[in-house]
């Protein structure tokens, strides 16, 4: 990666200026990209008066957890978290299993219509999500599951991009092991489950993390799938908190605190599994 | 795809395999078909019907109105067309500002992060990408606070002696402000030549508003959250530029700017096209931020077609018009995607398909 001889060529005053400018740009943009989160965290521990008077300050004065007490006592936050965990768990498990199942079949099993199904998966990936808001509502309504947990979970249980990622992975796995298992008389599902799936661990981890992140943050779907506050997930609940009855008042420590609590799980996963996010972003882009 | 040799060898389990194949893809096909393919057909029907949301759209009493919902958007005078055209205008300005801004910022960040003589760039790469993975709703709340009257941005502006605007309550168009600032027109009393007439029921003056002050906060938010992802795409492409090419140009005596202009940028072309078209597709779909931050206010200047279609259907209960807006938006995005496909195919012939993701650890 490092070009030999390069550091030697860069020397003297100009290189020093270049290095300095490089770090200046990096630090400036690191502040631009991260300081809003610092402000968010700091202000959720402030009093309302302090937040209004010193919004930029990273130090709450006085320090108070009153906003968080109120989040849990006077909003439906615990309910939203419960719904979010349930929905995220179901969607993630469903996606990892069903996407890999379909991806495996499309990569390895020969059956009539495989080409057509692959084409459909690719075509569906190109459908922009936002134009499907009304259409999705129509189907959920027609199926009689509008405003239920199944409406939150079922439509998101499979994602085309995930199927495609798994298919690409399985195409790259050498078929010899699988054939050996078949020779030994293992059935198709058994071969998939105990030979192929364990080998797919890297792809499965990527898919798990992407599914978790996407379903934890999912917002537009919840807007058209459910109506009852009993079924709100975190993003929906927070959106309601902001634009609803509390929207008129400021109450920024409360709102920022709620948004902070919703961000923390994804932030932890991101810091721990950063490279899977990078890979996912890249694969999501290359699908086009 | 199917190799005859393999098929013959496996003939014993052929039927078994075919059955298993269909069984394996059945859940995926069923769910994608039910919630992605079928809805498009249903919405197509609703967009040419007068369904009011009561009962089933396929019930016998629902009237077929033909292209009426579409003509209301484009031809018939009235509030429906006015709102739709305002939303199109807003989104056009939004695209025109956000796409170049996010592309340039992402490219600049990638070029800096890719410098080998800088240490710790993997930390900065992570920092720039972090906003992209967080919840759009949560981020919108943060920006509501940052741009509040007593928020961080106005506090920052106050430090340099500027009294910041009431960002979310300010419907003034930036272009109007610039024209007024230059003394070319009187904003409160625009020239009659511009207010007289214009296409689709909006006056030229209205078409030339530019993004409103309120809309520019949403543009800043979106640029901020998308640059990280696009930076990764550029970074991956940069790492595919062979070191020898750069060294050769270095030996030839090219300076940094010439290297960027004549060596690096031409090699980044496929990534550039990808980022621009992904940006075009994404910016026409802005919804979450509008829903949380402004709901189209003030004075409809943050209204976008995506949000308008939702509002028309779910608050005004005009499902036919809402579905029609969805389809117009769908067509706009499909055109963008086709342009991208066409451009990318063109490039692929010149250059073999490349991986878009960075080699592991390669970026540090």
């Amino acid at each position: 990666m490092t070009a030999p001889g390069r550091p030697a060529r860069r020397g003297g005053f100009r290189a020093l200026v270049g290095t300095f400018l490089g770090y200046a740009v990096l630090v400036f943009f690191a502040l631009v990209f991260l300081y809003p989160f610092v402000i968010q965290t700091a202000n959720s521990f402030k009093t309302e008066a302090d937040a209004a008077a010193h919004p930029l300050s990273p130090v709450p004065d006085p320090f108070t957890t009153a906003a968080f007490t109120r989040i849990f006592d006077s909003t439906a936050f615990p309910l939203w978290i419960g719904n979010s965990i349930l929905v995220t768990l179901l969607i993630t498990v469903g996606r990892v299993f069903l996407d890999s199942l379909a991806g495996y079949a499309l990569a390895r099993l020969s059956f009539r219509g495989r080409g057509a199904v692959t084409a459909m998966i690719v075509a569906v990936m190109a459908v922009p999500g936002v134009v499907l808001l009304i259409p999705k509502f129509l189907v959920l309504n027609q199926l009689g599951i509008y405003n239920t947990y199944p409406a939150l979970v079922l439509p998101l249980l499979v994602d085309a991009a995930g199927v495609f990622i798994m298919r690409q992975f399985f195409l790259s796995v050498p078929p010899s092991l699988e054939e050996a298992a078949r020779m030994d008389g293992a059935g198709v599902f058994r071969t998939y489950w105990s030979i192929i799936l364990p080998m797919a661990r890297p792809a499965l981890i990527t898919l798990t993390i992407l599914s978790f992140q996407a379903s934890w943050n999912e917002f537009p779907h919840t807007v058209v799938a459910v109506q009852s506050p009993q079924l709100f997930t975190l993003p929906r609940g927070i959106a309601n908190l902001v634009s609803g009855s509390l929207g008129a008042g400021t109450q920024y420590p409360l709102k920022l605190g709620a948004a902070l609590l919703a961000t923390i799980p994804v932030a932890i996963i991101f810091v721990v599994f950063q490279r899977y996010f990078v890979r996912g972003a890249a694969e999501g882009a290359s699908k086009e | 795809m199917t190799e005859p040799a393999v098929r013959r060898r496996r003939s014993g389990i052929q039927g078994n395999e075919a059955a298993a194949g269909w069984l394996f893809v059945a859940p995926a096909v069923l769910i994608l078909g039910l919630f992605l393919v079928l809805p498009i057909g249903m919405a197509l029907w609703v967009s040419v019907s007068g369904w009011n949301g009561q009962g089933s759209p396929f019930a016998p009493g629902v009237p077929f109105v033909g292209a009426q919902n579409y003509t209301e958007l484009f031809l018939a005078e009235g509030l429906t067309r006015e709102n739709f055209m305002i939303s199109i205008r807003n989104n056009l300005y939004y695209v025109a500002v956000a796409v170049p801004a996010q592309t340039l910022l992402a490219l600049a960040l990638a070029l800096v992060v890719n410098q080998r003589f800088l240490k710790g760039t993997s930390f900065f790469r992570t920092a720039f990408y972090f906003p992209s993975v967080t919840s759009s709703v949560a981020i919108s709340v943060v920006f509501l606070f940052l741009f509040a009257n007593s928020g961080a941005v106005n506090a920052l502006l106050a430090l340099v002696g500027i009294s910041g605007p009431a960002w979310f309550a300010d419907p003034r168009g930036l272009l109007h402000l610039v024209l007024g600032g230059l003394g070319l027109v009187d904003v409160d009393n625009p020239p009659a030549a511009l207010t007289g007439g214009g296409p689709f029921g909006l006056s030229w003056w209205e078409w030339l508003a530019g993004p409103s002050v309120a809309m520019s906060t949403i543009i800043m938010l979106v640029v901020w959250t998308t640059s990280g992802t696009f930076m990764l795409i550029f970074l991956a492409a940069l790492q595919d530029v062979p070191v020898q090419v750069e060294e050769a140009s270095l030996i030839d005596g090219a300076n940094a700017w010439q290297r960027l202009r004549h060596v690096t940028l031409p090699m980044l072309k496929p990534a550039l096209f990808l980022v621009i078209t992904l940006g075009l597709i994404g910016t026409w779909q802005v919804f979450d931020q509008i829903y949380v931050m402004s709901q189209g206010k003030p004075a409809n200047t943050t209204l976008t077609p995506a949000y308008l279609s939702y509002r028309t259907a779910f608050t005004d209960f005009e499902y036919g018009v809402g579905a029609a807006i969805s389809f117009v938006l769908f067509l706009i995005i499909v055109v963008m995607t086709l342009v991208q496909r066409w451009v990318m195919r063109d490039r692929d012939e010149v250059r073999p398909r490349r991986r878009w993701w960075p080699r592991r650890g390669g970026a540090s």
Side-chain angles (χ1 to χ4, degrees):
Chain A
M1 283 268 77
T2 43
R6 187 157 248 223
R9 251 204 301 276
R10 303 194 57 92
F13 183 66
R14 284 193 60 180
L16 209 66
V17 171
T19 310
F20 177 77
L21 278 180
Y23 281 119
V25 170
L26 287 177
V27 170
F28 173 77
F29 279 104
L31 280 176
V32 169
F33 281 89
L34 292 183
Y35 203 66
F37 294 103
V38 175
I39 289 181
Q40 177 189 17
T41 312
N43 282 283
S44 56
F45 288 104
K46 289 179 186 174
T47 60
E48 226 171 290
D50 186 27
H54 310 106
L56 273 172
S57 160
V59 186
D61 176 32
F63 180 91
T64 170
T65 53
F68 292 97
T69 316
R70 284 191 45 218
I71 288 170
F72 284 97
D73 288 350
S74 62
T75 74
F77 203 83
L79 173 78
W80 303 335
I81 288 197
N83 284 340
S84 265
I85 291 174
L86 178 70
V87 166
T88 302
L89 214 65
L90 289 173
I91 292 175
T92 304
V93 170
R95 280 193 181 180
V96 171
F97 180 62
L98 297 177
D99 288 359
S100 65
L101 205 59
Y104 176 70
L106 294 178
R108 281 302 166 77
L109 303 178
S110 65
F111 57 94
R112 196 177 288 273
R114 182 173 71 169
V117 173
T118 310
M120 177 195 116
I121 302 277
V122 173
V124 153
M125 276 195 289
V127 176
V130 157
V131 304
L132 282 177
L133 287 184
I134 298 173
K136 264 191 196 163
F137 162 77
L138 294 173
V139 170
L140 292 172
N141 207 22
Q142 201 66 12
L143 291 175
I145 56 171
Y146 173 69
N147 207 24
T148 62
Y149 279 107
L152 278 177
V153 175
L154 216 53
L156 303 178
L157 222 43
V158 170
D159 80 318
V163 175
F164 194 72
I165 289 175
M166 292 312 295
R167 172 181 174 265
Q168 297 305 92
F169 179 84
F170 288 128
L171 281 176
S172 71
V173 173
S176 50
L177 264 178
E178 194 184 350
E179 275 169 10
R182 294 275 186 88
M183 295 299 172
D184 290 348
V188 179
F189 186 79
R190 185 158 178 80
T191 310
Y192 157 79
W193 186 256
S194 33
I195 306 291
I196 298 301
L197 219 47
M199 290 173 65
R201 194 178 296 144
L204 291 177
I205 295 175
T206 303
L207 195 58
T208 307
I209 288 166
L210 292 181
S211 301
F212 168 83
Q213 183 247 358
S215 46
W216 183 264
N217 290 339
E218 176 62 44
F219 175 67
H221 177 71
T222 68
V223 168
V224 293
V226 298
Q227 195 180 25
S228 147
Q230 291 300 309
L231 296 170
F232 281 5
T233 57
L234 263 179
R236 182 77 191 276
I238 290 172
N240 222 49
L241 191 69
V242 172
S243 55
S245 56
L246 279 169
T250 45
Q251 313 233 33
Y252 280 113
L254 176 93
K255 294 177 194 167
L256 291 170
L260 180 67
L261 292 175
T263 311
I264 286 173
V266 177
I268 292 173
I269 299 274
F270 177 70
V271 170
V272 176
F273 296 103
Q274 196 233 116
R275 61 197 170 104
Y276 293 100
F277 278 96
V278 173
R279 190 185 299 164
E283 273 163 5
S286 68
K287 83 193 178 192
E288 290 294 328
Chain B
M1 277 304 208
T2 48
E3 311 99 74
V6 174
R7 186 172 276 191
R8 220 172 296 126
R9 202 179 61 216
R10 284 190 191 161
S11 60
I13 52 169
Q14 179 64 39
N16 192 358
E17 191 176 309
W22 268 110
L23 210 61
F24 279 25
V25 294
V29 169
L30 196 70
I31 288 175
L32 294 176
L34 206 54
F35 296 106
L36 286 169
V37 182
L38 180 69
I40 298 175
M42 284 177 75
L44 198 56
W45 159 248
V46 170
S47 80
V48 292
S49 80
W51 185 54
N52 62 359
Q54 298 294 310
S56 162
F58 302 105
V62 175
F64 173 78
V65 298
Q68 191 196 311
N69 292 323
Y70 291 91
T71 52
E72 265 190 60
L73 292 178
F74 287 97
L75 302 173
E77 265 178 54
L79 196 61
T80 306
R81 181 174 78 166
E82 191 186 326
N83 280 339
F84 179 64
M85 286 304 157
I86 286 175
S87 78
I88 291 282
R89 175 202 67 185
N90 295 341
N91 218 329
L92 279 172
Y93 282 114
Y94 173 78
V95 171
V97 178
V99 172
Q102 69 197 14
T103 306
L104 285 177
L105 181 57
L107 179 61
L109 292 177
L111 286 172
V112 179
V113 170
N114 194 45
Q115 292 300 323
R116 291 185 192 88
F117 64 91
L118 297 175
K119 300 267 183 296
T121 46
S122 66
F123 163 77
F124 290 105
R125 189 189 64 184
T126 310
F128 301 156
Y129 184 42
F130 181 60
S132 313
V133 302
T134 52
S135 149
S136 55
V137 171
I139 289 295
S140 298
V141 175
V142 176
F143 266 64
L144 275 176
F145 176 66
L146 293 180
F147 284 93
N149 291 347
S150 62
V153 172
N154 278 353
L156 212 56
L157 289 175
L159 289 182
V160 289
I162 300 172
S163 159
W167 294 92
F168 297 112
D170 198 333
R172 290 176 297 168
L174 289 187
L175 217 55
H176 283 177
L177 286 176
V178 168
L179 290 174
L182 292 173
L184 292 175
V185 288
D186 178 6
V187 175
D188 298 321
N189 196 7
L194 291 177
T195 51
F200 300 110
L202 283 195
S203 71
W204 286 109
W205 179 247
E206 283 173 294
W207 280 110
L208 290 173
S212 69
V213 174
M215 182 60 112
S216 46
T217 61
I218 295 175
I219 293 175
M220 284 185 252
L221 164 59
V222 171
V223 169
W224 184 75
T225 47
T226 50
S227 307
T229 312
F230 291 155
M231 173 197 70
L232 290 179
I233 295 176
F234 280 128
L235 208 50
L238 279 172
Q239 282 167 9
D240 279 345
V241 176
V243 178
Q244 295 91 317
V245 175
E246 265 182 67
E247 299 212 314
S249 62
L250 211 63
I251 291 165
D252 287 345
N255 65 30
W257 171 250
Q258 286 169 327
R259 280 207 307 280
L260 177 66
R261 173 77 185 75
H262 297 291
V263 180
T264 313
L265 282 187
M267 301 203 78
L268 284 183
K269 243 181 199 166
L272 197 62
F273 281 120
L274 179 67
V275 164
I276 290 173
T277 40
L278 284 179
L280 287 174
I281 293 167
T283 43
W284 279 102
Q285 292 196 61
V286 58
F287 177 82
D288 303 12
Q289 294 82 357
I290 308 278
Y291 184 102
V292 176
M293 295 169 80
S294 67
Q295 286 142 344
K297 287 173 277 193
N300 281 341
T301 59
T302 62
L303 198 61
T304 62
Y307 185 76
L308 181 65
S309 87
Y310 160 79
R311 197 181 75 178
T312 308
F314 295 101
T315 31
D316 305 339
F317 303 109
E318 290 186 42
Y319 287 90
V321 178
I325 296 173
S326 291
F327 272 102
V328 175
L329 190 57
F330 190 38
L331 282 181
I332 293 173
I333 295 169
V334 164
V335 169
M336 301 288 167
T337 313
L338 289 179
V339 169
Q340 184 215 346
R341 286 268 161 86
W342 177 72
V343 171
M344 292 305 285
R345 183 174 305 137
D346 190 34
R347 301 296 137 186
D348 278 351
E349 281 167 22
V350 186
R351 210 156 145 264
R353 187 158 189 91
R354 291 184 176 278
R355 307 185 313 159
W356 290 111
W357 58 94
R359 293 197 178 90
R360 198 172 300 177
S364 49

